[in-house]
Amino acid sequence: MATETVTEFAPAKVNLCLHVTGQRADGYHLLDSLVAFVGIGDRLVARPASAASLTLAGPFGADLPGGPDNLVLRAAAGFGAAAAFTLDKHLPPASGIGGGS
């Protein structure tokens, strides 16, 4: 088990151009995009723990699912990561600026 706390900043992105170039068999679209990252965003903190957990904070934390459908917990499960995560949510979800969980 890791013994240190890790903090990562996830900046908002602004699409300067976006082109839908097709669609995959699973329904997701193929995209070509040019983006710029800006100085506002969310912060994710991971602390050592025996199992994955998630605390949602910040102005938009209450707008996200906290259970296994949350992208943070889905990613942790995919990697087999056991950590206590805190997501400090400052970007509005579904805003098009990288505001998903």
Side-chain angles (χ1 to χ4, degrees):
M1 177 184 331
T3 58
E4 67 182 68
T5 297
V6 177
T7 301
E8 289 294 329
F9 180 68
K13 66 170 176 53
V14 176
N15 284 305
L16 301 175
C17 68
L18 177 68
H19 299 280
V20 177
T21 60
Q23 189 171 17
R24 299 184 334 195
D26 61 7
Y28 284 95
H29 290 95
L30 300 170
L31 305 175
D32 282 337
S33 178
L34 177 62
V35 301
F37 294 97
V38 296
I40 60 170
D42 301 331
R43 191 163 307 279
L44 182 64
V45 178
R47 292 178 179 82
S50 59
S53 65
L54 176 63
T55 300
L56 297 168
F60 294 102
D63 296 340
L64 297 175
D69 286 340
N70 184 284
L71 293 177
V72 172
L73 291 177
R74 287 174 54 191
F79 284 102
F85 296 99
T86 299
L87 178 59
D88 190 12
K89 190 77 181 119
H90 288 266
L91 300 176
S95 62
I97 58 173
S101 65

